Amino acid sequence: MQHYNMDLTLKVWRQQNRNAQGGFETYQVKDISSEMSFLEMIDVLNEKLIHEGGDPIAFDHDCREGICGTCSMVIDGRPHGPWKGTTTCQLHMRAFKNGETIVIEPFRANSFPVLKDLVVDRKAFDRIIQAGGFISVNTGNAVDGNAIPIDKDDADNSFAAASCIGCGACVAACKNSSAMLFVSAKVSHLALLPQGAPEKSTRVAAMVDQMDKEGFGSCTNTYACEAECPKEISVMNIARLNREYLASSFNADK
Amino acid sequence: MALTGIFLIVFLLVHCYVNANVFFSHGEENFNRAAHFMGTNILVRIAEIGLFAGFILHIIQGYKLELSNRAKRSSKYAVTAGNKTSTWYSRSMALLGTLILLFLIIHLVHFWVPSRFGGLTEVNYDGKSVLNLYGRMKDVFSQEWVIIVYLLGCFSLAWHLLHGFQSAFQTMGWNHKKYTPLIHSMGVVFSVVVPLIFALMPLFMYFGWEIPVGELTLLF
């Protein structure tokens, strides 16, 4: 693809802290390379802001390889921007044209309060995992993983669900701020494997319970989450969660 | 939502089937007899209580869900993805449901209220006196504004079903590699065909159309 430089107008959400009133600020960036990543473009803007003695834009980032789930942002109304199956850090500036105006907002949901500018608090996800997104293992020698036979389709589906990086784009994309895609992926990848089977009934009940406590909305199956998920997690997992949850609520021993 | 939704989908099928009598020749007698059966049979009357409960539950659940979901995002987005990532009707179930509710109230006042609380003429078939609901349909559907309201009601129902049918299965956890595409296609066919049949009823009445068939009756 032909390399080109572009000048852009950015409308960025600035908010001093959790309780402050936020608002949009407009910035101009010049000579942005089409080969930069979106975050590098913001790095350029931040360097300029620091040089001018201003406050750089706070945003989350870590691996910048699309695997850690730290970066966020809603770019022109799309969590992680316009590309399908891509995190913000892997979104490249060739997705934009010279002279464009880009609106950059934080993930918005009451369960993800803004800490500063584009950084939101996603600890609610950690607490859902703590509630049941694990398996209990006895201490001692690790069992040889290959000793447990697993159906190939189950292994594939489990792996596909496990590719969820917990970024929260599903919540940001959902009109109800529902975390069902995230929770269903975490429930599914364990429920499909023999190692996860012993606790599957308690796990789904505890995780859904915690999800509700955190104040996420209910799923109304608009499937915007699936469309925006950078790891393309399928809504098949949500149906599996519903099945598991229903089965767990009929489990008389729990 | 899903359970009551599926229940109401089944009701639509029955309602559509019984009312389809009006399309055919001898529609007047066949429909009035069928309506008489539906209005007097004890099992149907018991089922009617369930039907009202189903409607009320579906409506209350729907509004509760919508209000609670709306409250989960106090700070709104300046730009949204709109139809790029989801369909407008899947996001507008509460609005479409409200339109259907308004239609339902008008519809009950037109037909259910007079059939229960009087105000209808009677006709005699083989010595049996039955309410002339067919005549009521003729009266009601002689007004243009009523036809328009009913067509809009059917239109809202179609969009509501287009999302609701497949969504109910997903909520119940019935998402299957092989059968889900089938459920989706069935949902589209149901959402188009059933409201279309309902929409044709006022039109048949207004224009006095009739499908000539000899002995066909949709009785049971």
Side-chain angles (χ1 to χ4, degrees), chain B residues 34-107:
Chain B
H36 181 74
F37 170 79
M38 297 302 281
T40 52
N41 183 286
I42 182 72
L43 292 176
V44 180
R45 291 300 296 275
I46 293 169
E48 191 184 29
I49 299 168
L51 179 62
F52 268 89
F55 265 110
I56 291 165
L57 263 175
H58 193 73
I59 292 161
I60 293 173
Q61 283 175 329
Y63 281 123
K64 275 183 74 174
L65 183 68
E66 178 72 11
L67 287 177
S68 112
N69 279 343
R70 277 184 186 215
K72 306 296 189 208
R73 178 172 292 139
S74 314
S75 172
K76 304 282 174 227
Y77 286 113
V79 186
T80 55
N83 296 336
K84 284 181 203 143
T85 55
S86 60
T87 56
W88 71 266
Y89 51 88
S90 76
R91 299 192 306 272
S92 315
M93 291 300 274
L95 173 70
L96 291 166
T98 304
L99 292 176
I100 297 168
L101 175 60
L102 292 176
F103 164 77
L104 181 68
I105 293 167
I106 296 171
H107 184 52

Side-chain angles (χ1 to χ4, degrees), chain A residues 49-108:
Chain A
L49 288 175
I50 292 166
H51 268 291
E52 291 166 355
D55 186 19
I57 298 160
F59 65 96
D60 267 328
H61 61 102
D62 190 17
C63 76
R64 300 208 179 195
E65 291 179 3
I67 54 171
C68 75
T70 307
C71 59
S72 55
M73 301 187 198
V74 172
I75 300 158
D76 285 339
R78 312 282 303 270
H80 294 296
W83 281 353
K84 199 172 158 48
T86 309
T87 53
T88 302
C89 64
Q90 291 297 296
L91 173 69
H92 281 67
M93 293 313 293
R94 56 180 176 272
F96 302 93
K97 288 192 282 290
N98 187 29
E100 249 185 89
T101 298
I102 307 171
V103 179
I104 309 170
E105 301 174 72
F107 282 181
R108 292 190 197 275

Side-chain angles (χ1 to χ4, degrees), chain A residues 13 24 74 76-78 103 105-111 171-177 215-218 220-224 227-228 235-236 238-239 242-243 246, chain B residues 65-66 68-81 84-87 90-93 163 166-177 180 184:
Chain A
W13 183 265
F24 284 99
V74 172
D76 285 339
R78 312 282 303 270
V103 179
E105 301 174 72
F107 282 181
R108 292 190 197 275
N110 293 357
S111 307
V171 174
C174 177
K175 81 173 182 70
N176 309 324
S177 310
F216 292 104
S218 305
T220 55
N221 304 328
T222 67
Y223 307 146
E228 293 291 20
V235 294
M236 291 270 289
I238 296 183
N242 291 341
R243 279 201 300 279
L246 215 59
Chain B
L65 183 68
E66 178 72 11
S68 112
N69 279 343
R70 277 184 186 215
K72 306 296 189 208
R73 178 172 292 139
S74 314
S75 172
K76 304 282 174 227
Y77 286 113
V79 186
T80 55
K84 284 181 203 143
T85 55
S86 60
T87 56
S90 76
R91 299 192 306 272
S92 315
M93 291 300 274
H163 175 69
Q166 57 83 25
S167 175
F169 287 86
Q170 168 80 359
T171 300
M172 299 305 295
W174 297 324
N175 190 328
H176 191 278
K177 233 174 167 169
T180 294
H184 279 230

